[in-house]
Amino acid sequence: MSRAFVKEEGGERWTPPGTPHAYHLIWPGVNGPETLHQTDDLLDALRWLAARDRPGFELRGQDGVLLALLAA
């Protein structure tokens, strides 16, 4: 396999970056924030957020601004 298609640190195949989405649903976990869902539809993002069963999930815009927070 050519080294041009292998990441140096892990020996994994190179994958192209994904397309950026307008909204990111994030769980601020113990090991740092983790993006669980991404979408370009605000209503889809709000429905996904409302369907969670515990507080703490964040809805952030593409620029990282906090738009909504699921509270208790």
Side-chain angles (χ1 to χ4, degrees):
M1 176 185 327
S2 170
R3 293 189 60 79
F5 297 103
V6 177
K7 292 182 181 178
E8 289 295 321
E9 61 276 357
E12 301 171 9
R13 287 184 169 262
W14 178 83
T15 54
T19 57
H21 293 282
Y23 305 103
H24 303 270
L25 291 130
I26 298 170
W27 172 251
V30 207
N31 298 327
E34 179 181 353
T35 301
L36 300 178
H37 185 72
Q38 298 179 30
T39 183
D40 290 322
D41 183 5
L42 179 58
L43 290 177
D44 177 47
L46 292 172
R47 286 184 191 115
W48 189 94
L49 188 64
R52 301 308 96 186
D53 60 351
R54 60 183 180 187
F57 289 93
E58 301 174 350
L59 171 60
R60 293 190 176 266
Q62 188 174 12
D63 55 358
V65 173
L66 180 64
L67 302 175
L69 178 64
L70 185 61

